[in-house]
Amino acid sequence: MYALARGEATRVDLNTLGAVMSTLEELTGEPVSPADLLQAVTVPGPDREARAWLDGDASHLGEFGLYDWGGADPYTLGEPVRVGADGRILIGGE
């Protein structure tokens, strides 16, 4: 029950569902059905950027050597880059 309440459960066991229904019926004195407890949620699909990554073919990456940064630490170079909701490239804190 705690995992369900915290949103950590990925599915509901039917025994748990039955126990919740029975407990609620005892507490309220009213009949409880699965429909009273379950709600359908639509999860959006991947956005355009995620779709491009998912559709990419990375199967040949093992054929290439590692990138040579020439002794530089790549984590200290430049600023972070991301794609905004409108598709624009945003650099740093933009």
Side-chain angles (χ1 to χ4, degrees):
M1 283 307 306
Y2 291 109
L4 289 172
R6 289 189 303 263
E8 297 171 354
T10 57
R11 63 181 180 84
V12 178
D13 182 74
L14 292 179
N15 289 333
T16 303
L17 184 62
V20 170
M21 290 169 49
S22 297
T23 302
L24 288 173
E25 287 177 350
E26 288 178 25
L27 290 172
T28 64
E30 301 288 327
V32 177
S33 74
D36 296 325
L37 303 177
L38 302 177
Q39 176 182 3
V41 177
T42 301
V43 178
D47 62 14
R48 196 177 71 162
E49 180 183 6
R51 175 58 42 211
W53 280 103
L54 292 171
D55 291 343
D57 180 9
S59 64
H60 298 287
L61 289 179
E63 299 171 10
F64 302 98
L66 297 176
Y67 184 80
D68 181 6
W69 289 95
D73 180 0
Y75 294 107
T76 62
L77 301 175
E79 296 184 62
V81 176
R82 61 189 171 84
V83 177
D86 60 357
R88 291 186 321 125
I89 295 176
L90 304 174
I91 300 172
E94 285 185 42

